[in-house]
Amino acid sequence: MTLEKDALGHAHAELMGVEFDSFDREREEVTLRFHAPDSFITPRGSVQGGLIAGFLDELMGWAHVWATDQAEAPLYLEISMTLLKPVPAGPLFGKGRVVRRGKRVIFLEGELFDPTGNLLARSTSTAIPTPRPVADR
């Protein structure tokens, strides 16, 4: 299956400056690129924390979507996030992966990096696998 950048063509992904980079089927790991708009930047000069959670959400969600050949999307039960360093506007990249997938629950993980590979933020999630909404396709 060819994965195209257009698969991210949602208004919220465009707002966050999300671009598809790659998907590693064996690792069930997606790599996305981000460039936060100026409106995401706080007076401290870094991306606002809740918006960082949005980046991590995208990473984890798309990892599961592409791992299931775009048939399923995760319905999150919980998301845990750790901010390790201030997150600049960009450019940034992140990796989202499926840690474990069962029929009733999935475990996901996301990491956000600066261009030199320094880890800035990470997240884990427990979710329910659900059919991907038709409007999402």
Side-chain angles (χ1 to χ4, degrees):
M1 171 179 71
T2 302
L3 301 174
E4 298 180 12
K5 184 174 135 181
D6 293 342
L8 293 171
H10 299 282
H12 71 277
E14 187 176 320
L15 176 66
M16 292 189 290
V18 181
E19 292 182 15
F20 174 79
D21 185 276
S22 63
F23 179 68
D24 181 328
R25 180 158 301 286
E26 186 176 316
R27 292 178 48 104
E28 295 189 332
E29 180 178 84
V30 67
T31 301
L32 303 177
R33 302 214 169 267
F34 299 90
H35 193 84
D38 290 341
S39 61
F40 281 27
I41 306 304
T42 69
R44 288 192 168 132
S46 58
V47 178
Q48 193 270 344
L51 300 169
I52 296 167
F55 293 160
L56 294 164
D57 178 340
E58 287 293 293
L59 288 161
M60 293 184 296
W62 283 110
H64 179 72
V65 168
W66 283 325
T68 62
D69 292 326
Q70 302 194 25
E72 294 180 355
L75 178 61
Y76 296 111
L77 297 172
E78 65 82 31
I79 295 176
S80 175
M81 175 178 75
T82 303
L83 301 172
L84 302 167
K85 294 183 179 182
V87 175
L92 305 166
F93 74 94
K95 295 186 177 287
R97 71 192 59 80
V98 177
V99 176
R100 183 168 182 206
R101 184 176 54 241
K103 290 184 180 198
R104 295 176 55 188
V105 69
I106 51 179
F107 299 94
L108 305 168
E109 182 174 84
E111 296 175 317
L112 191 62
F113 302 91
D114 70 14
T116 60
N118 293 308
L119 181 62
L120 304 173
R122 69 177 317 273
S123 63
T124 58
S125 178
T126 305
I128 298 170
T130 63
R132 190 162 172 220
V134 175
D136 228 14
R137 294 181 186 189

